[in-house]
Amino acid sequence: MTETAIRELLERVAAGKTTASAAMRDLRELPFADLGFVKIDNHRSLRRGVPEVVFGEGKTAAQIIAIGKRVASSNLIVTRLDAKKAAIVKKGLHGMTYYPEARIGAAIKGMPPLTGHGEVMIISAGTSDIPVAEEAALCAEFFGNRVTRLYDVGVAGIHRLTANLETVRRASVLIVVAGMEGALPSVVAGLLDKPVVAVPTSVGYGTALGGITALFGMLNSCASGITVVNIDNGFGAALAATLINRVGLARDGA
Amino acid sequence: MTETAIRELLERVAAGKTTASAAMRDLRELPFADLGFVKIDNHRSLRRGVPEVVFGEGKTAAQIIAIGKRVASSNLIVTRLDAKKAAIVKKGLHGMTYYPEARIGAAIKGMPPLTGHGEVMIISAGTSDIPVAEEAALCAEFFGNRVTRLYDVGVAGIHRLTANLETVRRASVLIVVAGMEGALPSVVAGLLDKPVVAVPTSVGYGTALGGITALFGMLNSCASGITVVNIDNGFGAALAATLINRVGLARDGA
Amino acid sequence: MTETAIRELLERVAAGKTTASAAMRDLRELPFADLGFVKIDNHRSLRRGVPEVVFGEGKTAAQIIAIGKRVASSNLIVTRLDAKKAAIVKKGLHGMTYYPEARIGAAIKGMPPLTGHGEVMIISAGTSDIPVAEEAALCAEFFGNRVTRLYDVGVAGIHRLTANLETVRRASVLIVVAGMEGALPSVVAGLLDKPVVAVPTSVGYGTALGGITALFGMLNSCASGITVVNIDNGFGAALAATLINRVGLARDGA
Amino acid sequence: MTETAIRELLERVAAGKTTASAAMRDLRELPFADLGFVKIDNHRSLRRGVPEVVFGEGKTAAQIIAIGKRVASSNLIVTRLDAKKAAIVKKGLHGMTYYPEARIGAAIKGMPPLTGHGEVMIISAGTSDIPVAEEAALCAEFFGNRVTRLYDVGVAGIHRLTANLETVRRASVLIVVAGMEGALPSVVAGLLDKPVVAVPTSVGYGTALGGITALFGMLNSCASGITVVNIDNGFGAALAATLINRVGLARDGA
Amino acid sequence: MTETAIRELLERVAAGKTTASAAMRDLRELPFADLGFVKIDNHRSLRRGVPEVVFGEGKTAAQIIAIGKRVASSNLIVTRLDAKKAAIVKKGLHGMTYYPEARIGAAIKGMPPLTGHGEVMIISAGTSDIPVAEEAALCAEFFGNRVTRLYDVGVAGIHRLTANLETVRRASVLIVVAGMEGALPSVVAGLLDKPVVAVPTSVGYGTALGGITALFGMLNSCASGITVVNIDNGFGAALAATLINRVGLARDGA
Amino acid sequence: MTETAIRELLERVAAGKTTASAAMRDLRELPFADLGFVKIDNHRSLRRGVPEVVFGEGKTAAQIIAIGKRVASSNLIVTRLDAKKAAIVKKGLHGMTYYPEARIGAAIKGMPPLTGHGEVMIISAGTSDIPVAEEAALCAEFFGNRVTRLYDVGVAGIHRLTANLETVRRASVLIVVAGMEGALPSVVAGLLDKPVVAVPTSVGYGTALGGITALFGMLNSCASGITVVNIDNGFGAALAATLINRVGLARDGA
Amino acid sequence: MTETAIRELLERVAAGKTTASAAMRDLRELPFADLGFVKIDNHRSLRRGVPEVVFGEGKTAAQIIAIGKRVASSNLIVTRLDAKKAAIVKKGLHGMTYYPEARIGAAIKGMPPLTGHGEVMIISAGTSDIPVAEEAALCAEFFGNRVTRLYDVGVAGIHRLTANLETVRRASVLIVVAGMEGALPSVVAGLLDKPVVAVPTSVGYGTALGGITALFGMLNSCASGITVVNIDNGFGAALAATLINRVGLARDGA
Amino acid sequence: MTETAIRELLERVAAGKTTASAAMRDLRELPFADLGFVKIDNHRSLRRGVPEVVFGEGKTAAQIIAIGKRVASSNLIVTRLDAKKAAIVKKGLHGMTYYPEARIGAAIKGMPPLTGHGEVMIISAGTSDIPVAEEAALCAEFFGNRVTRLYDVGVAGIHRLTANLETVRRASVLIVVAGMEGALPSVVAGLLDKPVVAVPTSVGYGTALGGITALFGMLNSCASGITVVNIDNGFGAALAATLINRVGLARDGA
């Protein structure tokens, strides 16, 4: 195990098979990289070839550019980036594309290879939920998933859900985005036996409480098997769906 | 599948093998029982051989016995069942075993075959979180998963987490149960690239707000990839983990 | 009506049939008792032959008996009456029947004639919601409605809803009782064009928040046309449904 | 009805008038389009001749125009539409009139015939509640009701309520709009035996909590018979009142 | 008084001096206008010579001018009136003075005579609380009280409170305005045996919760005898203080 | 007064009548005991002859007896004292009478002389509000006020309010006690120009939120002039009403 | 630094100055004990000779005994231990003393030496706050501090605070315990320039919200310099005060 | 000290060196200015040479200039001062420097001498937390502490924390600033035995609730010894840390 690894390393040093310097270099990695030091290298395998993700809200364009330059060698996604800030950031970070609907700026030097068991499907309820759904969809694509979108499946459009039932059932994981009462994840989870990651949105007014009602409704869904992320957190849902889509796959071949 | 069933029915009518009336009677059932009508037959494939789950809290022993008899042919799990009520229910439902730590009563006529990519690991923070963790663990076992437990991984016991890192990393999915500030899922998610289903518990006092603080802390975790279920909902976490553990597996061979 | 009464009084004064003093005494009463002074004689026409309703919770058996004796001449319903208190009250108030499931004690000297356009249907989600549903059902009956019950229409029983669609559609008004995420009223309202009075219940745990989540979910339902009453308020829903069921009917012939 | 349709289809198959394949195609549509599949065709009869309703807030002018063009054949109401957005939308959707006080844009090709037992009366408390009251009033008119308005019935104007008591009592249903403490629905419900749909508004400050206090006050009203919709939801109240106003009327003749 | 009026009316009918019809018309008005019908003529005696008060927030300048013209004969106070709107209103309502610190516009045709037992003292904690304190002070003056101000009695200025203890103790009623933790009313109430009307303000950040913390702190003050009004409600405090200052005074001589 | 005391002390020092040391000892006491040091001697004049008030809830019988003996020379009121604890306390504190409806234990050696401009009237809404109303009533009596009670003025009993309007109007101050939506204080304040101290109670269920809804409703009352105390705080209302009832009266002759 | 330490260790192994086994033992300690692995050995120096602290609430007597036996070699404190459970635990854990007022069970094999700059003073407001204050006081003593108590410094007892001002000022750190409005920490912090750790308690009713109001009041105190711990968390305050009392002292000599 | 001053004054009176009148005048000032009267002279010793601190938010530039001129002789810090207002204030207050990142304006006539046992270290989690961290850092410097900064220690940067562990451990007190789930203070407190003052920030979205979630997470931290200040309150943390850093130091030599 880890202790075994360290012991072997020490024995190799004692046996003169490795130098203290080389062992130091290994150990230096070990405590942080392998001992599981908290958060030190979060989502290691994901990061091989996938973008750094920066939360753009509450950061100035200058700060985002500075961070962007620091991670210049890898891909970069900036979420919650409004159009105005994006215009400035684009000038400072070459190669960045802005996706206004998803409020995402992305500098992708090469899309990661497709991984996972199957498709990640993004389903959203209303027109106003699309920004969050698109944040999830784009991130899931940048993380190496095959992504299908099924938007506007609200009161006027649920026939699009039922009309696409075969496609829906083919997906490996579903991200369901909804505001107001947040009932759509229950409907979807009732139609199939797949993991459903629910994303409450802040869409609504009055007792919608900025998404708290949708969140609590989803947590109390009688269609068990649903799990939930923070309000408007499309990125987090994409990351969770990516991990779910890779369950049981060898890490290297992933 | 369902459509196939309907098509066959229609062909039997066309072929004169069944009457329109009889088909009508079947169809009348069909659309609701098999077409995936909302919530009508939630978690179909799961149910093949797995227990019915009844939420015991707020139901009288008599009500639980009545429900139990109705589903007598399949396995039955009663969650949130206190010892006193369990004693009565056991008299009315033969073959029921009571698990006091998990507050579960179960009448299992035969364990389902093991399915899924790998192990579901249940990690819990404190001694007081064990009832919820055990609810998750037992349910996950009854749903056909190989389950590993790692309890009491709080301040005094986190070495048990690091000492078992290899085992932890071998799991396919992790259910992490914690109250108070609810930080444990972040720690675990920081150690690996696996789906983490976080279960906030109502353990704590004052500003713990009966689990709301743990829930909100988990939803705001900077270790993305975590998804969350309702406070104390061990059963829901087990069901979600089961679905995640089966991602990409053929339904029938699952 | 009231104005007629006053006009008649004035004419009797003008005609010398009554003195100004006597009229004054009458009028002193009139403005408050008959002119519709706020809350003074709430639901007048309903009360012709229908019970007084007393909220039993937080009142001692002795207080309930005292109130019961004061309204001895008319019918009496005591809601939220637990079995223990009911046993005492029954001794003090002759002719009272106790309905344990609805937690209602009722001394009905004669059922009111059936009124309204059609049936009031009570639909409930889970076994734990039945006490609230029965409070609504019994009250609606005591208020002179034809009542149909459709209980236990949750995950395992929604086929009972769809199997009874014709009956459901025949109802004039629907009272839909549900806890947890409170999604059932949306489902019902989506099936027909009838007024739906939704009753959130305190059934659930964690983020169910004692019924607040169900309430807020119902208020945010995308199936518009739903109106809502207080948590667990079966009686209030029955009264609202009664008024709705009588819309457009002549008051006297009602 | 729907069942009749299916039965006829089956009989046509049995009679060889249609093939199993064609029937399959029809049936595939049927369950979702006509069986009352959840939310699929919400408020069918209402929609005959009445407008589509789009919630304008949180949608861009472009999105609203796109939706408007999709439903071009029927009438269209856009609620929560501010003046600025309205100006753009009007250019994209011909025939739209903007009602600034109600914040409604409407493209009505022909008013629906008047239906219902009687008048829907809209009563509001203060000057600041008028936008919500007008949203309710206009929607109720567009839905085919005869509508009466009684505004500004607060501290300084309650004589307008009492002075119009006969008119008030003549109404079939009342929509009462109030912010702050939300007491007006209680006052109105105390004056008559008619269904009262209460609309809390976000008018007020401090402990008004954006309408939550008015909402909770209305839900706790001792003048039972009141039902409530979401904060500022004039449209929802209009829809509920329309359904109530049509109780017991034949659907086709409605 | 009112009863006297009715009695006289009845006697005039009995004496044939008026017809039943005419009396009916008068009576129809009477019960609502003079019998003290709820809210109908709130604060009658106060109004003799004192201003109408209009809440300016959420009303357009046009609406305020319209209301102002309707009550043109009496004095007028508009509270929560920002400078921009005030500039417009002043053009429409002649004789209006704007008090920017109190955010009050007032058209006072003649100050009411001084009434009450003694002075109303307004004490405020911080610089940011002054707008609310000035709203209270100006209103109290317009309502006919002798008013003393003692502002900025926070951390740096409490010596102003103690240095003016004699003056403070001379006051009949005290209005104490404070945000943040809202402790000042406790301090003041601890210094004397006079009624203290506490006004929580929305001053503060974070857990100040827009004044809720100050409000709840005041309600839980261990210095009993304090009563509280809504957050930022300087006007309400002034009205309450006016009524308190007149306790026991003959109504007419008030 | 206090300053006078200090001045006299200084003059006695200057005159050699006391030493600097003795003066120091006196002064050391003075600033805290007499200068009105925060809360040091709260409600001085009230206390002349009126009871000490102890909050009984959360204290053991032994603690209450100990406190009671410490203040043995003066009158004593223990509020929130349940019957069981009262039985024990009565044995330890001679001369104590227990008032079960008000949950008050009182050892009164002599009632204080009647003071104040007039009567303090206690009005309550429902039967369940009586404990709080009685706490207010008894305390107000023990504090030297003439007290009138008008209970059970809810839906079924508001005629008792209007029938007693003359008496109600004669009161100097009104304490209005109500739970649920808390509308009664508005009704009462609308009927007269007297200070109204509103007491929200924890009576109610669901969205009554343990009295928060009543409290917030009262704070948002459009019948201005109402002030509010903490939920269920009958004692606090009595103390505030006592201070209001004495406004403008000479302290010594009070 | 740490890396230096590891490098030196490795070099000692390479140089044969230490064996791999010994180095392993050292390293095994290092990553967890010195690299700062999260929570692994929280409060190391404190623990030298000071008790293990177990939170007793929500644990069964059996669980507490089991934990107690596991840490048998060191001192043990069990907080939140009710008398009934304590009686059982005492039988299972020899040498345990129960402190009923503090609800603490302690098995102390030897008090730690006194450390810190000076005294930790515990000040509490009311009689009902004593259990929390005593939890803080006992814990502080068991952690090696000199502790002074000053209880019951509320309305009736603040002279005890001022009369002991010299003693209060002598303290190094102050723990101030208060419920209700939580104003006492402000008063104390206003009197001196010492760190004040404020402990809100759940004492109070209504808007005290189980301690949230006291907590938020303390966080908004205008007497800056106050820091706060969780509601009723006497133990946490004692631990914080201990760390503060040792600031700048050499760890070993501490 | 203060008592000494009073004693000397009394002796001067006794000795005839001053008159009773003059002494009265002095004393009148004394009790409030020097006796530590609540909040009157908060943080006396701190203020010797350290700035006055003004909360800039909610104050106009004119008000800030006026306050600034009043305290012209001493140093001045204005917190929460946005750039726009700062530009105006700088013109009115000569010698003021604006620190945009910390949103602080400071007119420092001479830095106070360094005091305290050691360094105050400011650690912050994310880029968005820097304004609050800088407010704490600058204030701590202006209050006479040696300050070290360690920013951006989040997911991507925790190696900066571990890489600087020696420095971190050298600090006397730590101020840890974090938003979202607020877990960083737990991590830091787990690494050492020093007082940690945690500052929750309003950084985050959805269930971050403007900092409430971070605050409650910190209060429930299982790493005891943490104390907390209000959301975004960098200044308050600096003041608390200053007091902690001086524990046990002689006041005059401080």
Side-chain angles (χ1 to χ4, degrees), chain G:
Chain G
M1 192 195 59
T2 307
E3 289 191 20
T4 315
I6 302 181
R7 189 185 304 269
E8 285 170 7
L9 182 68
L10 288 168
E11 280 162 4
R12 291 222 315 285
V13 174
K17 289 179 185 165
T18 190
T19 64
S21 278
M24 183 61 214
R25 209 171 47 236
D26 284 7
L27 260 180
R28 197 174 181 172
E29 271 301 289
L30 260 181
F32 308 116
D34 286 344
L35 265 182
F37 196 88
V38 173
K39 296 180 208 307
I40 219 271
D41 200 355
N42 207 358
H43 311 300
R44 263 169 320 284
S45 46
L46 273 180
R47 282 193 177 157
R48 291 179 204 140
V50 302
E52 284 286 322
V53 181
V54 173
F55 186 72
E57 207 171 285
K59 295 201 181 68
T60 63
Q63 287 176 322
I64 295 170
I65 292 170
I67 296 172
K69 289 192 166 155
R70 215 157 65 195
V71 300
S73 55
S74 72
N75 290 336
L76 175 78
I77 297 178
V78 186
T79 61
R80 302 284 180 98
L81 184 67
D82 62 56
K84 210 168 142 187
K85 235 191 288 186
I88 309 174
V89 173
K90 280 179 75 173
K91 285 177 194 159
L93 290 179
H94 296 299
M96 197 175 96
T97 310
Y98 184 61
Y99 301 81
E101 209 162 29
R103 294 167 304 174
I104 277 182
I108 304 299
K109 286 171 185 67
M111 284 295 283
L114 284 179
T115 57
H117 294 283
E119 290 169 11
V120 173
M121 176 165 255
I122 321 286
I123 302 179
S124 80
T127 309
S128 312
D129 299 320
I130 290 181
V132 176
E134 268 302 294
E135 181 183 303
L138 274 183
C139 285
E141 286 174 346
F142 292 143
F143 295 164
N145 300 282
R146 191 173 287 108
V147 171
T148 332
R149 287 160 174 87
L150 191 56
Y151 290 174
D152 209 7
V153 190
V155 170
I158 205 161
H159 51 91
R160 300 184 61 182
L161 178 63
T162 48
N164 290 285
L165 218 49
E166 296 290 302
T167 321
V168 172
R169 287 200 167 129
R170 201 178 56 220
S172 284
V173 204
L174 297 108
I175 293 174
V176 185
V177 181
M180 305 290 288
E181 66 178 320
L184 192 59
S186 290
V187 175
V188 172
L191 290 170
L192 24 85
D193 296 337
K194 298 292 173 55
V196 170
V197 177
V199 190
T201 71
S202 53
V203 170
Y205 61 93
T207 51
L209 298 182
I212 296 281
T213 293
L215 168 67
F216 283 1
M218 290 165 175
L219 288 169
N220 283 284
S221 170
C222 44
S224 302
I226 295 171
T227 58
V228 185
V229 297
N230 196 4
I231 297 163
D232 290 337
N233 190 4
F235 154 68
L239 191 45
T242 303
L243 293 174
I244 293 172
N245 196 20
R246 292 181 189 178
V247 158
L249 296 182
R251 214 171 299 184
D252 297 292

Side-chain angles (χ1 to χ4, degrees), chain A residues 1 34-36 39 42-45 117 186 189 191 193 195 219-220 223-224 227-230 235 239-240 243 247, chain B residues 36 39 42-45 117 163 165-166 169 186 189-191 193 195 219-220 223-224 227-230 235 239 243 247:
Chain A
M1 188 196 61
D34 286 344
L35 264 182
K39 296 179 207 308
N42 207 358
H43 313 300
R44 262 170 322 284
S45 45
H117 294 283
S186 290
L191 290 171
D193 296 337
L219 288 170
N220 283 284
S224 302
T227 58
V228 186
V229 297
N230 196 3
F235 154 68
L239 191 45
L243 293 175
V247 159
Chain B
K39 297 177 206 307
N42 207 359
H43 313 300
R44 263 169 322 285
S45 46
H117 294 282
L165 218 48
E166 296 290 301
R169 287 205 166 125
S186 290
L191 291 170
D193 296 336
L219 288 169
N220 283 285
S224 302
T227 58
V228 186
V229 297
N230 196 4
F235 154 68
L239 191 45
L243 293 175
V247 159

